[in-house]
Amino acid sequence: MRPSTNKPFYTSIYFFISLLLLIPFSILAFGVTQQKEWLNTFDQFIAAPLLAGRSVEKTIFYSYITDMGGTLFIILLTLLVSLYFIFKKKDFKTAYWYIFHVAVGAGVLNQVVKLIFQRTRPTIEHLVLQDGYSFPSGHSMASLICYGGIVLLIFHLNQKKWINLLACLLASVIIITIGISRIYLGVHFPSDVLAGFCLAGSWLSLSAAIYSKKVLKNKQS
């Protein structure tokens, strides 16, 4: 474990990033509440080529990919990660932190914000069944929070740079592809996905600060 990751400097950086990511989220939220034309233009600019390029093969691919950000998959992955730390690493604090991190961020926070804004989903054809409100995207938030949390743990607990880089690249591809799938399948506006990433990134950074300041510090003391 790297002792340097527990320095106040890194915790401050986490807090700073958390606040910084709330700025683009707030801009998008303002656009949603005020029904700004620039937001509609942005959504159409991003979504149009994806929707125009629909095909049977792409639909099958994105339907499978989108499940990797769905509730069932995220719950199972969270349990697997937590059980690994409990039984393999005997690290109960990290396991409890990860459950808290995913449950609050991907579950409670997303649903509360959805209820606040109550944005309806796109009226175009939905290629998968999806209910509830649209803003922000739950799959986008869940994927960044869950997979991003795993990458965070790898960075903190592993010292091999190539493993850290591989984990970061793999997680980035999965997260971005899940976000694209939500637009392609017609169940989210691009601004929903982007807002989901911003809010999830903010929560991930805040949660990382908590992990760095409380969990790692207590383990090393």
Side-chain angles (χ1 to χ4, degrees):
M1 184 182 303
R2 301 190 192 96
S4 61
T5 56
N6 196 37
K7 289 183 179 180
F9 170 77
Y10 290 95
T11 302
S12 299
I13 289 295
Y14 286 142
F15 278 122
F16 175 75
I17 295 174
S18 179
L19 293 174
L20 189 66
L21 287 172
L22 289 178
I23 296 175
F25 173 79
S26 299
I27 294 173
L28 292 168
F30 174 78
V32 169
T33 57
Q34 300 300 314
Q35 299 182 348
K36 293 295 185 178
E37 183 59 30
W38 59 262
L39 188 65
N40 182 52
T41 301
F42 169 79
D43 285 335
Q44 291 183 354
F45 177 77
I46 300 297
L50 288 174
L51 300 177
R54 280 177 168 179
S55 66
V56 175
E57 293 78 12
K58 289 181 180 179
T59 299
I60 294 174
F61 171 74
Y62 282 123
S63 295
Y64 279 113
I65 287 295
T66 205
D67 286 339
M68 295 180 68
T71 302
L72 179 59
F73 193 92
I74 294 298
I75 289 176
L76 291 176
L77 184 57
T78 302
L79 288 176
L80 286 175
V81 172
S82 301
L83 290 174
Y84 169 79
F85 279 98
I86 290 174
F87 292 105
K88 182 68 175 179
K89 295 294 186 180
K90 307 299 181 183
D91 187 352
F92 292 88
K93 290 181 179 180
T94 294
Y96 296 154
W97 168 83
Y98 189 72
I99 294 173
F100 167 82
H101 165 70
V102 176
V104 174
V108 178
L109 179 60
N110 177 257
Q111 290 302 310
V112 168
V113 177
K114 280 180 180 287
L115 288 173
I116 291 174
F117 292 98
Q118 298 187 11
R119 189 186 197 185
T120 56
R121 295 186 182 273
T123 56
I124 59 175
E125 179 187 8
H126 294 180
L127 301 183
V128 292
L129 294 176
Q130 192 71 58
D131 56 5
Y133 295 114
S134 186
F135 181 91
S137 166
H139 281 63
S140 300
M141 283 192 65
S143 62
L144 180 53
I145 288 170
C146 183
Y147 299 112
I150 293 174
V151 172
L152 173 71
L153 292 175
I154 292 174
F155 266 67
H156 273 290
L157 305 176
N158 172 71
Q159 297 187 20
K160 295 182 180 179
K161 292 183 178 180
W162 71 269
I163 293 180
N164 294 341
L165 179 60
L166 180 62
C168 187
L169 289 174
L170 182 59
S172 297
V173 170
I174 293 174
I175 293 166
I176 292 172
T177 308
I178 289 174
I180 293 173
S181 76
R182 306 308 287 168
I183 303 170
Y184 175 91
L185 295 170
V187 294
H188 278 294
F189 298 101
S191 53
D192 297 333
V193 173
L194 182 57
F197 285 153
C198 291
L199 187 58
S202 177
W203 169 253
L204 175 61
S205 298
L206 177 61
S207 189
I210 295 173
Y211 180 76
S212 178
K213 186 175 180 64
K214 299 296 184 181
V215 179
L216 286 181
K217 182 178 180 179
N218 291 338
K219 285 168 60 178
Q220 293 174 352
S221 60

